[in-house]
Amino acid sequence: MEERLFSEIKKELTGNILPFWEKYARDGAGGFYGALDNDNVPDAKEWRSIVMVSRYLWSYSAAARLFGEPSYLGMADDAFRYMMRTFFDSLNGGMYWSVSSDGKPLLARKQVYGEAFSIYALSEYAAAVKELRCKENQSRRIMDQALALFALLERFARDRVDGGYAEALAEDWSATKETSLSPKDIDCEKSMNTNLHVMEAYTNLHRTLSVVCPEKLHELRLVGEALASLIRVHTTRILNAKDMHLDLYFDRAWKQCGVDEISYGHDIEASWLLWEAGEELGQKSLLEEIRPIVLAIARTSLKEGFDAATGGFENCMSESGVRDTTRIWWNQAEALNGFYNAWEMTGEALFADAAEKVWGWIRDYQVDKKNGDWFAAVSKDGIPVLKEAKGGNWKTSYHNARACMELLRRSHCLSAASCG
């Protein structure tokens, strides 16, 4: 792939995405705004989610590690302090799902999706503190907080009979029927989205645990066992082998329930996250088992979700067969990751071409060249959907910064002397 592409990606990450959120996300009182419009005007009264805060914590910790740049840790420090001061449940353990703008718990239940992102972020921050500040004791304490969340999920959320993890639990980790992740989701016992991000979190926990606490071999084995189990849950329970799409909602025994929608973004995201998880475990037999599955998901996503004429990656297909062609910011980011990963795995030009075209769409239409970062949604014709907020509880620095960092890391295009 052309060096020009990586030069553009590096400039986008360091010149637009990361500076944007540093400038506009903070609320001036030690927290982060829950909503930001397309003119970068915040709504100071909007509620705040653990997902938002953990995504800032992960993004700037990851950027600091990738570039060896301690200055990015300032944003991570703010996110860590806000997380532990405002979201941490000191009585029951775990993180509240949401708080009001004045920091009071709003939804105190333990949404497993949010706990997973907290593990993902804390483990990355622990590694960044060790590598960039050489503060081993502090780094270990942060990693212990990630491990405590892992232990809670393993104790209360993991289904050791049918596999996978519950969608949500009550404030005290007891069962609850109120589980819906967002207004777009339904109450269900298990979901693709939550289990996908638990797998993502456990992959990062396994990887960073070896960096921060290499002597914790018992904990490493526990995380590795849970991760291997999650990989197989995805390939045998969540993935529909008939059409190579991920089903969305399930009961406890993995019977599909709710809408039968196809989410192209989650499909392509899962393809590379599955491969990343398998590579982290490094088990040859497991990699051989999942390789054809990963590539089949990527090929299906390419065939059905990618619009080669524009370079855009489409959103979803409804149960009734109606296609939503809107270009959602995170779908574009995950398509960039997924197609690049498939190209690395196969060397096939069709995947490289798709990744380059997706980047072209992002560069030309998804990026907000006036006010910064990316538009949340853009029509197939390249017109921004301005009713969708620029940032807030779901849209942060995570998806697009991660896509840029993944490609730069894989291409080794990191130093000032390389890649433009």
Side-chain angles (χ1 to χ4, degrees):
M1 300 179 75
E2 292 184 14
E3 187 174 295
R4 170 196 52 79
L5 178 143
F6 299 111
S7 179
E8 291 177 353
I9 288 173
K10 183 178 177 183
K11 182 178 179 181
E12 173 63 19
L13 175 64
T14 61
N16 181 22
I17 298 169
L18 294 173
F20 176 88
W21 297 104
E22 287 179 303
K23 182 175 181 179
Y24 293 108
R26 294 179 173 108
D27 67 4
F32 297 86
Y33 293 117
L36 191 70
D37 72 15
N38 283 283
D39 291 317
N40 304 338
V41 177
D43 181 351
K45 296 182 179 180
E46 183 76 357
W47 61 278
R48 291 97 187 272
S49 72
I50 186 60
V51 173
M52 175 183 69
V53 179
S54 59
R55 286 176 171 182
Y56 287 134
L57 179 56
W58 179 85
S59 299
Y60 288 87
S61 299
R65 295 185 69 202
L66 185 70
F67 293 110
E69 179 48 69
S71 65
Y72 287 126
L73 283 180
M75 184 79 160
D77 293 337
D78 287 349
F80 175 70
R81 285 190 290 264
Y82 189 50
M83 173 188 283
M84 301 309 297
R85 182 180 71 248
T86 310
F87 290 86
F88 178 64
D89 182 347
S90 59
L91 177 63
N92 300 293
M95 303 290 176
Y96 300 128
W97 174 240
S98 63
V99 300
S100 60
S101 59
D102 60 3
K104 295 178 181 178
L106 196 59
L107 285 179
R109 69 174 181 244
K110 303 307 187 297
Q111 198 80 34
V112 173
Y113 185 99
E115 306 300 321
F117 269 101
S118 299
I119 293 170
Y120 186 57
L122 287 167
S123 58
E124 190 73 14
Y125 184 54
V129 167
K130 179 174 182 178
E131 291 173 351
L132 281 86
R133 290 180 175 156
C134 300
K135 293 185 176 181
E136 292 202 13
N137 289 337
Q138 181 186 6
S139 174
R140 288 170 179 271
R141 288 194 297 271
I142 297 166
M143 183 59 76
D144 284 343
Q145 291 168 321
L147 287 170
L149 293 181
F150 168 76
L152 286 166
L153 291 192
E154 293 302 293
R155 179 181 178 186
F156 294 111
R158 185 172 177 181
D159 182 348
R160 295 185 180 274
V161 176
D162 293 306
Y165 292 77
E167 187 69 3
L169 296 153
E171 181 178 1
D172 63 356
W173 295 92
S174 60
T176 180
K177 292 185 178 179
E178 295 180 353
T179 66
S180 177
L181 184 61
S182 77
K184 296 179 180 180
D185 296 289
I186 66 170
D187 289 317
C188 63
E189 292 181 276
K190 296 174 182 174
S191 77
M192 169 278 299
N193 204 6
T194 288
N195 279 272
L196 180 66
H197 291 292
V198 175
M199 182 179 70
E200 170 192 46
Y202 283 10
T203 300
N204 205 53
L205 180 60
H206 192 274
R207 180 166 51 224
T208 54
L209 186 57
S210 300
V211 172
V212 177
C213 305
E215 78 285 356
K216 292 195 174 187
L217 298 178
H218 174 66
E219 290 84 350
L220 190 67
R221 283 193 292 270
L222 291 177
V223 177
E225 181 276 326
L227 181 56
S229 176
L230 262 173
I231 291 172
R232 290 200 167 90
V233 161
H234 281 80
T235 59
T236 64
R237 299 289 197 174
I238 296 175
L239 179 67
N240 188 329
K242 294 179 181 179
D243 59 14
M244 299 312 292
H245 294 294
L246 306 183
D247 291 333
L248 304 185
Y249 307 108
F250 306 88
D251 67 10
R252 181 183 176 90
W254 294 105
K255 180 181 178 182
Q256 187 179 2
C257 59
V259 298
D260 187 20
E261 182 180 276
I262 294 171
S263 174
Y264 297 119
H266 285 113
D267 286 350
I268 193 63
E269 183 180 25
S271 73
W272 79 269
L273 288 178
L274 273 168
W275 190 246
E276 178 189 51
E279 284 196 308
E280 172 57 29
L281 291 178
Q283 299 171 8
K284 183 178 179 181
S285 60
L286 179 60
L287 288 170
E288 290 175 347
E289 176 185 334
I290 68 172
R291 179 185 172 86
I293 297 171
V294 166
L295 291 175
I297 298 171
R299 292 186 196 284
T300 302
S301 298
L302 181 67
K303 180 180 178 181
E304 298 182 19
F306 176 58
D307 178 9
T310 65
F313 192 73
E314 300 188 347
N315 186 23
C316 61
M317 175 82 78
S318 73
E319 193 169 22
S320 61
V322 177
R323 181 182 292 269
D324 180 359
T325 62
T326 310
R327 278 58 163 141
I328 307 299
W329 96 97
W330 70 267
N331 289 350
Q332 312 315 304
E334 297 310 329
L336 188 63
N337 274 335
F339 293 144
Y340 190 89
N341 182 68
W343 171 71
E344 277 195 331
M345 291 176 67
T346 64
E348 294 180 19
L350 59 90
F351 287 122
D353 181 64
E356 290 180 353
K357 286 183 176 179
V358 169
W359 172 250
W361 170 272
I362 292 168
R363 180 196 61 219
D364 295 341
Y365 299 105
Q366 209 80 33
V367 172
D368 182 348
K369 298 175 181 63
K370 177 183 177 183
N371 290 324
D373 198 66
W374 297 8
F375 294 112
V378 179
S379 74
K380 184 177 181 178
D381 299 323
I383 300 171
V385 183
L386 296 179
K387 68 178 181 180
E388 298 291 339
K390 173 65 68 67
N393 284 310
W394 291 99
K395 186 175 181 296
T396 69
S397 53
Y398 158 70
H399 281 287
N400 55 359
R402 181 175 69 170
C404 293
M405 286 191 273
E406 274 296 311
L407 265 68
L408 292 175
R409 179 181 62 79
R410 293 173 185 231
S411 68
H412 306 289
C413 186
L414 301 175
S415 71
S418 65
C419 201

